[in-house]
Amino acid sequence: MAPDELQQAWQAEASQTRVTVNADLLLRQVRRNQSDLRAIVFRRDTIEVVVVLLLLPYWFYAGHTHALPWTWYLAVPALIWVGGFIVVYRWSLHVEPLGPDEPLVQCAESALTELDNQIWLLRNVFWWYLLPLGAAIAAFFIQVAWQSATNWLETLVAVPLVGFIVALYYLIYCLNQRAVRRQLAPRREELLELLAGLYDDPIENRAQSDKAADVKPAGLLKRLVIFACLCFVCVMAVRLAYQLSVDRGGTGYPRLAPYSAVRWQESQPEIRIDGQWYKLVSLDDIPSDEIVAFSKKTYGDRWQMRFEEDLVEVLSRMGHPPKETVTLVVQPLTSSKTQVLKDVPMTAKNRAELKAAVRVREESSKP
Amino acid sequence: MLVDEERKTLFLTWLGEHGSSVMKVARAYTLTSEDCQDLAQEILLQAWRSLPSFQGKASAATWFYRVALHTAMNWQRKDIPRRAKQQPLFEVHVAGPDVPNGAEQTQHRETVEQLYQAIRQLPKADAALVLLYLDELSYREIADVLGISESNVGVKLNRAKKTLSALMNGAPDGT
């Protein structure tokens, strides 16, 4: 059949077809259904940035409230980096999207560019998202395990925690790569095929294909090795910082105390609060005997000094980091009844007075 | 900016003139009547959305084809088609066989069915070229719709027509 005859048949058939549209329903449907790929991507990006903005104050609040070690705050620059990266990446690559009424080649090229940007973002999710956050959280777990442990073996408690982070992040990584493999890459192939059929110059088309070849995922093993190296560096940094802090007389924990002086009757601590002396029965429901026993086991000869001056560290290493205020159960020296002192503030002033009292005691004990 | 009422009037007028191109594109790029309905509805939605940005640089026919082809290229079959969730946005009326020259109409209908089957086997870009050619758009208009040069339209269309003829004559891969 000659092409002209095909045209005639086509036109004859078309003349028999009439389309009527329910315009009101169409209008309602358009208003309801505004979500396309671009809107979904924008919504996801917005959610991620908002989550980062909400997490930042929470991170400071939780760190301050629970007196968490400094590695907790490593996540702050990591969060800022992730949120900032999304904003800067989208902003720097933002191109006014073409409407569907533009010529097909321009639409396909525009869609291909958008797709390439999204593929790049997902394929490199390890570098800009998983690595900074994962390393920061792993460093925190390692430091907590280190400081809570009394020997190297106990530090291994961090292994399942870090393993959990690695497994979780591996899952996120796989989900992202799956989205690229199953949704974006096939769509990209379709667009390339379409453009290949439309380009004037096949060389131009080859350039597009070459650009596609640039977007290749790096090896998973390489990423895991880098993650492991970074964790190792974090561990060494934590260890070094901790050692430096200890060498300078610090402990890495806030220097706070709920009492302004301590004296001892054998292994029973007596504490001074608001000028009154009491026997300490318990602190935040932890019996004083238990605290003393832990201090003796962990610090040896220095157990009294640690109990008096480094209470935050002792309690943290026991797994009960104190909050801004503590509840004390005490027994006045003149009575056999116990009292509950609620919301006793942990203050630096108390700790300073306590230290001064220790100095006076040491001076007076010298011959 | 068009207000809703003006937009609706203009849209319905254009649809009366060029609505068949929506159905042709939808039919050419889908395999089942359900998918065809779904794609056609998507094209209409896109056309309605794009109407306010129409600047009059292209003719209404060119504009409709651009929207239809762009939507068809981006369309993916949904697991739960749109029609399952909403009332149909449009109806297609086809004249019955009891018209004058009924035998000729039947012959045309068979030819057109064969054409659609052949077009579905073409690469997407070639299918677009053939659709525009069959609708008797000029090289200039085809070039406008696709965004390529007129000379390139000539080269590619000749190639596509040969493939189409081969497919119509029964060669499965058009070679």
Side-chain angles (χ1 to χ4, degrees):
Chain A
M1 190 177 279
D4 285 351
E5 290 173 36
L6 296 178
Q7 278 181 316
Q8 278 174 16
W10 188 264
Q11 293 299 330
E13 171 78 358
S15 66
Q16 302 295 310
T17 308
R18 192 165 54 84
V19 179
T20 54
V21 170
N22 184 339
D24 293 324
L25 189 61
L26 179 68
L27 187 59
R28 283 205 301 276
Q29 175 63 18
V30 169
R31 283 174 180 156
R32 197 166 53 232
N33 178 24
Q34 286 290 344
S35 62
D36 54 9
L37 173 69
R38 202 171 294 122
I40 291 168
V41 168
F42 178 76
R43 200 162 55 234
R44 278 187 198 157
D45 287 354
T46 307
I47 288 170
E48 288 200 27
V49 172
V50 168
V51 167
V52 164
L53 290 176
L54 291 175
L55 271 178
L56 280 175
Y58 167 77
W59 223 259
F60 282 110
Y61 173 77
H64 180 68
T65 309
H66 300 290
L68 295 173
W70 65 271
T71 43
W72 173 256
Y73 297 98
L74 282 178
V76 171
L79 284 169
I80 292 171
W81 158 256
V82 168
F85 182 85
I86 293 172
V87 171
V88 170
Y89 184 77
R90 293 291 185 207
W91 178 75
S92 63
L93 294 174
H94 178 72
V95 180
E96 203 55 47
L98 291 176
D101 54 345
E102 297 291 333
L104 196 58
V105 167
Q106 278 93 316
C107 285
E109 284 174 344
S110 169
L112 187 63
T113 306
E114 270 186 71
L115 206 59
D116 278 344
N117 292 339
Q118 190 61 19
I119 288 174
W120 188 92
L121 202 65
L122 297 191
R123 280 197 171 152
N124 290 286
V125 71
F126 175 81
W127 299 108
W128 66 269
Y129 184 84
L130 299 177
L131 185 64
L133 284 177
I137 295 170
F140 170 70
F141 281 155
I142 290 166
Q143 190 188 16
V144 169
W146 196 301
Q147 293 187 345
S148 304
T150 53
N151 57 50
W152 271 92
L153 210 57
E154 286 181 24
T155 311
L156 293 178
V157 74
V159 171
L161 292 172
V162 174
F164 172 73
I165 293 293
V166 171
L168 179 68
Y169 278 25
Y170 179 68
L171 179 70
I172 296 172
Y173 178 80
C174 287
L175 286 175
N176 279 277
Q177 302 320 305
R178 188 169 178 267
V180 170
R181 215 169 39 246
R182 294 208 173 177
Q183 293 168 16
L184 303 183
R187 173 77 191 120
R188 188 175 195 285
E189 287 302 314
E190 277 179 24
L191 285 172
L192 282 174
E193 191 187 328
L194 176 65
L195 286 170
L198 292 173
Y199 276 132
D200 292 11
D201 183 359
I203 294 170
E204 198 178 346
N205 181 42
R206 256 201 315 277
Q208 284 286 342
S209 302
D210 291 345
K211 196 181 162 196
D214 292 341
V215 191
K216 280 183 180 169
L220 181 66
L221 183 66
K222 186 178 156 193
R223 284 154 202 247
L224 284 173
V225 168
I226 290 169
F227 183 80
C229 289
L230 208 70
C231 282
F232 179 75
V233 170
C234 283
V235 169
M236 289 300 113
V238 166
R239 181 69 188 151
L240 186 66
Y242 181 73
Q243 196 58 49
L244 284 172
S245 170
V246 170
D247 290 348
R248 289 174 187 174
T251 62
Y253 288 93
R255 293 179 166 186
L256 307 170
Y259 38 72
S260 57
V262 180
R263 65 189 184 195
W264 296 90
Q265 302 296 332
E266 298 296 328
S267 292
Q268 172 63 52
E270 290 179 359
I271 58 174
R272 189 175 67 195
I273 297 173
D274 294 335
Q276 296 289 317
W277 284 96
Y278 303 91
K279 278 184 185 173
L280 178 64
V281 178
S282 71
L283 189 153
D284 279 347
D285 294 331
I286 311 166
S288 66
D289 295 348
E290 205 175 299
I291 303 173
V292 169
F294 178 83
S295 195
K296 281 180 178 173
K297 180 185 160 199
T298 309
Y299 303 113
D301 293 343
R302 295 159 68 86
W303 68 272
Q304 272 187 335
M305 189 269 274
R306 288 294 199 177
F307 181 96
E308 293 173 14
E309 300 178 23
D310 301 317
L311 186 66
V312 176
E313 180 185 346
V314 173
L315 294 173
S316 297
R317 294 186 70 169
M318 287 179 77
H320 305 285
K323 295 180 180 172
E324 286 178 332
T325 60
V326 291
T327 300
L328 301 175
V329 178
V330 294
Q331 181 186 344
L333 300 182
T334 53
S335 165
S336 59
K337 283 188 178 175
T338 57
Q339 291 180 11
V340 178
L341 306 178
K342 287 190 174 175
D343 299 328
V344 180
M346 298 279 291
T347 65
K349 184 168 171 277
N350 279 339
R351 167 62 169 68
E353 284 182 25
L354 195 148
K355 184 74 180 166
V358 169
R359 248 188 241 117
V360 169
R361 191 176 68 204
E362 285 173 352
E363 289 293 323
S364 61
S365 64
K366 281 182 184 172
Chain B
M1 180 69 79
L2 295 167
V3 295
D4 272 357
E5 207 50 44
E6 288 174 348
R7 187 175 163 190
K8 201 161 98 178
T9 310
L10 181 64
F11 187 74
L12 291 175
T13 308
W14 281 6
L15 204 59
E17 293 166 8
H18 310 287
S20 62
S21 62
V22 171
M23 291 312 299
K24 287 177 203 163
V25 170
R27 201 173 156 190
Y29 284 94
T30 54
L31 292 174
T32 66
S33 61
E34 288 84 3
D35 284 350
C36 176
Q37 289 270 328
D38 209 42
L39 175 55
Q41 294 205 29
E42 183 67 33
I43 293 170
L44 291 176
L45 287 168
Q46 289 291 345
W48 180 271
R49 279 187 197 135
S50 305
L51 195 58
S53 64
F54 178 73
Q55 294 175 330
K57 289 178 186 168
S59 67
T62 304
W63 181 84
F64 249 100
Y65 257 118
R66 279 180 179 174
V67 174
L69 286 171
H70 176 83
T71 310
M73 302 296 171
N74 284 293
W75 183 79
Q76 285 178 317
R77 201 182 70 79
K78 294 175 178 64
D79 291 334
I80 304 169
R82 192 185 312 279
R83 70 200 138 67
K85 293 184 281 184
Q86 66 176 46
Q87 293 171 265
L89 296 177
F90 65 93
E91 284 177 37
V92 180
H93 307 276
V94 182
D98 55 337
V99 292
N101 302 321
E104 195 181 347
Q105 290 289 346
T106 308
Q107 175 66 34
H108 282 156
R109 201 158 288 167
E110 283 172 8
T111 306
V112 168
E113 188 52 47
Q114 273 185 301
L115 265 172
Y116 274 117
Q117 285 179 12
I119 288 168
R120 288 184 194 117
Q121 296 177 58
L122 292 173
K124 282 186 172 179
D126 286 358
L129 269 164
V130 168
L131 280 173
L132 298 170
Y133 155 76
L134 289 171
D135 247 0
E136 297 181 342
L137 268 71
S138 67
Y139 277 22
R140 176 71 261 158
E141 286 172 315
I142 295 175
D144 276 350
V145 172
L146 300 180
I148 59 179
S149 65
E150 281 183 63
S151 58
N152 197 25
V153 169
V155 172
K156 288 189 178 298
L157 188 56
N158 276 334
R159 208 178 299 153
K161 275 197 283 189
K162 279 181 191 165
T163 313
L164 184 73
S165 293
L167 287 166
M168 292 288 286
N169 293 326
D173 58 356
T175 53

